[in-house]
Amino acid sequence: MRRPELGEMNAFLTVAERRSFAKAAVQLGISRSRLSETIRALEDKLSVRLLNRTTRSVAPTAVGEG
């Protein structure tokens, strides 16, 4: 397992705090698709799901909270 990079962790924290990919993307100054790819890559690296996503909401999983 590779260690997460600072940018990936910052992206995750921003999404978790804002509870929105769109709002986090604006805050970070990147596209929603790039942000989604970053979070997906981080989850793949860690082999764990960090965020529960629905069409209307985003919330950290129990692992994402810890």
Side-chain angles (χ1 to χ4, degrees):
M1 172 178 77
R2 291 186 317 142
R3 293 180 59 165
E5 296 177 19
L6 185 58
E8 292 171 323
M9 294 302 297
N10 186 48
F12 164 70
L13 289 173
T14 304
V15 173
E17 288 172 349
R18 304 290 294 190
R19 297 196 182 252
S20 165
F21 275 87
K23 291 176 184 176
V26 169
Q27 183 176 334
L28 294 168
I30 61 175
S31 69
R32 283 184 282 177
S33 61
R34 171 99 188 258
L35 179 56
S36 181
E37 290 170 8
T38 300
I39 298 299
R40 193 170 307 119
L42 176 60
E43 290 176 327
D44 288 346
K45 258 188 221 180
L46 299 174
S47 299
V48 67
R49 186 136 181 128
L50 297 170
L51 296 168
N52 286 321
R53 304 158 178 86
T54 69
T55 56
R56 295 181 182 251
S57 68
V58 177
T61 62
V63 172
E65 285 282 342

